Amino acid sequence: MNVYENAQAQMNKAFETGKHFDWDKNKLPVILEPQRIIEIRIPVKMDDGTVKVFTWYRSQHNDARWPFKGWIRFHQDVDKHEVMALSIWMSIKCTVVWIPLWGGKWGVIVNPKELSESELEQLSRWYVRQLYKYIGPGQDVPAPDVNTNPKIMAWMMDEYSMLVWKYSPGSFTGKPMQAWGSAGRWEATAQGWVYVLQTILKLKGQDIEWKKIIIQGAGNAGLTMASLMIDLWATIVWISDSKWAIYNADGIDIEEIKKIKNNRESVINYKDADSVWDKEILEKDCDILIPAALENQITENNAKNIKAKLILELANGPTTPEADEILYGKWTSIIPDILANAGGVMVSYFEQVQNDMNFYWEADEVQEKLHKKITEAAANVYETASEHESDMRTWAYIIAMKKIFEAMWARHTY
Ligand code: NAD
């Protein structure tokens, strides 16, 4: 199954599991597919004078609870199904943590490492020129994801503001502070992942201290999480990138890995590895497994060999529905992506709120608001799933779908 089919299978399973709520079955088909998919081509004049055409996809899932919110991903492997799946997951994510936004996703087929800065800027500004009627505060507010960053968000916000003749900082989030971003945005986003993990471990009567951790994906999310885990006295025993994995029983020095990755080298260049490996590390021995790379990594082929008793999904969509069943059968807890990494969209929402008010909070106020909302959501999902002797993903979906159906009913959207 592709990731879009995975997202639909997860929703179907939740609908079936939650059928005692007496749900109106006519509502399910309305949210099983995105409401609007936009596909456009953007020409960019390259530095050497040639013109290259890039494909952009935008999926807007459903407008029961406007406005849309969704990340912009620049990657050579982006495809339409991935963008559609990510927009569905964003709807569920926003509703699980109860923020008034709805799922969208942008994906661009491009390897940004092959573009100069001015080519990248043209690509970003051109897309706003073509689509500004579909975006903006109150309509659709994009934010950065894989290979996009605050600088790109500032270019896009600037282009949008010029097109609508109105300074509009709330048109994009994840902006730099100089362009009315939120204080402590990245720190708070990452801290959100930790709050979720801490809340659920505490409810299980456990702590992060001395836990052995595997991180798949030495990128932005994986390395930031690794540092935060070390600060809480956990040990990163394995870490991987797309080519290699390294192991050290006493813990890997993540600051060294960051330097290596900043030089665009592989983790294999780390000097203190006890051993190196050129295959997947998901099946290695550990307490907590953190997939932080790509979709569809934990599948029916490797799930039965996974030794971790807890999986924290930092990546979006790393586990297939078949693997979910196998892992649940082995009593492995999965903290699903739609909860685990929801801190990011929450902090983006806070940025949007500050832009709308034109009044800005200190970093610790952002953290405090995030902590309250995300720990409540994590406890709610864990406790509801435990009460029903079920898994957290299914109950996160049920909690979200119940609220979505209520919003559709209240607005009479069909
Ligand atoms: P990134 O591109 O910075 O990092 C991804 C890393 O994964 C790269 O180092 C790459 O080499 C590695 N990788 C690719 N294939 C791999 C494989 N098979 N095995 C091991 N490593 C592999 O991307 P990122 O921003 O860290 O995002 C990673 C995931 O986390 C995505 O699903 C993203 O949506 C999600 N996420 C990102 C953020 C964010 O703000 N960056 C926040 C929450 C969730």
Side-chain angles (χ1 to χ4, degrees), residues 142-337:
D145 182 41
V146 177
N147 288 329
T148 49
N149 56 36
K151 190 197 281 183
I152 295 176
M153 295 306 114
W155 293 337
M156 291 180 175
M157 183 276 286
D158 176 67
E159 191 67 32
Y160 180 84
S161 298
M162 289 195 292
L163 286 163
V164 299
W165 277 83
K166 185 178 168 193
Y167 188 56
S168 310
S171 52
F172 289 83
T173 58
K175 304 178 296 294
M177 288 292 286
Q178 299 87 335
W180 303 114
S182 177
R185 181 191 71 89
W186 178 243
E187 296 76 4
T189 296
Q191 202 59 49
W193 312 330
V194 178
Y195 290 151
V196 170
L197 180 60
Q198 276 176 321
T199 305
I200 288 170
L201 281 177
K202 196 167 163 204
L203 289 166
K204 283 172 170 283
Q206 299 177 31
D207 197 355
I208 291 174
E209 226 173 89
W210 314 126
K211 291 273 188 291
K212 286 189 293 175
I213 295 183
I214 293 177
I215 298 203
Q216 184 207 36
N220 277 330
L223 288 174
T224 307
M225 187 63 175
S227 295
L228 292 170
M229 293 291 91
I230 291 169
D231 291 346
L232 294 169
W233 300 98
T235 311
I236 311 299
V237 288
W238 281 99
I239 192 160
S240 63
D241 57 27
S242 55
K243 297 191 186 75
W244 292 96
I246 54 166
Y247 171 74
N248 188 312
D250 298 326
I252 294 162
D253 179 347
I254 292 299
E255 293 313 308
E256 274 308 306
I257 301 290
K258 284 182 185 167
K259 284 184 202 154
I260 291 169
K261 295 310 287 182
N262 280 341
N263 288 336
R264 298 195 170 188
E265 295 166 14
S266 168
V267 293
I268 199 172
N269 290 346
Y270 181 70
K271 299 270 184 309
D272 285 330
D274 292 344
S275 65
V276 296
W277 188 250
D278 62 353
K279 298 186 186 63
E280 274 311 338
I281 50 174
L282 302 166
E283 300 170 20
K284 298 284 183 190
D285 201 22
C286 71
D287 299 308
I288 304 175
L289 172 62
I290 305 186
L294 303 169
E295 297 89 13
N296 276 353
Q297 295 299 297
I298 303 176
T299 66
E300 58 196 329
N301 299 326
N302 55 16
K304 56 184 175 308
N305 300 325
I306 284 180
K307 299 182 186 62
K309 282 289 155 213
L310 182 64
I311 299 174
L312 178 82
E313 293 183 341
L314 225 52
N316 288 298
T319 312
T320 65
E322 297 83 2
D324 261 343
E325 296 293 330
I326 296 170
L327 289 162
Y328 185 64
K330 290 173 32 166
W331 298 99
T332 306
S333 292
I334 302 178
I335 306 178
D337 47 6

Side-chain angles (χ1 to χ4, degrees), residues 13-246:
K13 181 181 173 191
F15 193 82
E16 187 55 31
T17 311
K19 63 180 178 224
H20 56 277
F21 288 120
D22 217 9
W23 283 344
D24 172 3
K25 66 177 185 326
N26 291 317
K27 286 196 169 64
L28 181 64
V30 182
I31 61 166
L32 265 183
E33 292 177 70
Q35 177 178 316
R36 184 186 295 130
I37 297 152
I38 305 169
E39 179 173 341
I40 56 168
R41 317 260 176 258
I42 304 271
V44 172
K45 190 159 186 198
M46 308 300 279
D47 294 346
D48 64 5
T50 59
V51 172
K52 260 196 185 170
V53 180
F54 296 91
T55 299
W56 286 72
Y57 298 109
R58 175 55 163 174
S59 173
Q60 295 179 322
H61 177 214
N62 187 288
D63 64 4
R65 297 179 63 236
W66 261 21
F68 294 104
K69 176 89 213 164
W71 296 168
I72 304 180
R73 179 174 292 193
F74 283 0
H75 199 279
Q76 58 278 16
D77 298 333
V78 159
D79 72 38
K80 192 150 78 176
H81 286 128
E82 177 189 81
V83 176
M84 287 155 74
L86 284 157
S87 71
I88 292 176
W89 287 326
M90 183 58 86
S91 289
I92 301 294
K93 198 177 290 188
C94 291
T95 317
V96 168
V97 297
W98 202 227
I99 52 177
L101 299 172
W102 194 243
K105 182 78 192 181
W106 295 94
V108 189
I109 307 175
V110 58
N111 181 355
K113 292 178 189 125
E114 290 172 358
L115 267 61
S116 70
E117 180 153 314
S118 83
E119 291 164 346
L120 210 52
E121 182 170 353
Q122 275 192 66
L123 178 68
S124 308
R125 287 185 183 270
W126 257 110
Y127 123 84
V128 182
R129 267 172 245 160
Q130 290 217 6
L131 285 174
Y132 75 96
K133 293 223 160 116
Y134 293 91
I135 54 183
Q139 268 205 79
D140 187 331
V141 181
D145 182 41
V146 177
N147 288 329
T148 49
N149 56 36
K151 190 197 281 183
I152 295 176
M153 295 306 114
W155 293 337
M156 291 180 175
M157 183 276 286
D158 176 67
E159 191 67 32
Y160 180 84
S161 298
M162 289 195 292
L163 286 163
V164 299
W165 277 83
K166 185 178 168 193
Y167 188 56
S168 310
S171 52
F172 289 83
T173 58
K175 304 178 296 294
M177 288 292 286
Q178 299 87 335
W180 303 114
S182 177
R185 181 191 71 89
W186 178 243
E187 296 76 4
T189 296
Q191 202 59 49
W193 312 330
V194 178
Y195 290 151
V196 170
L197 180 60
Q198 276 176 321
T199 305
I200 288 170
L201 281 177
K202 196 167 163 204
L203 289 166
K204 283 172 170 283
Q206 299 177 31
D207 197 355
I208 291 174
E209 226 173 89
W210 314 126
K211 291 273 188 291
K212 286 189 293 175
I213 295 183
I214 293 177
I215 298 203
Q216 184 207 36
N220 277 330
L223 288 174
T224 307
M225 187 63 175
S227 295
L228 292 170
M229 293 291 91
I230 291 169
D231 291 346
L232 294 169
W233 300 98
T235 311
I236 311 299
V237 288
W238 281 99
I239 192 160
S240 63
D241 57 27
S242 55
K243 297 191 186 75
W244 292 96
I246 54 166

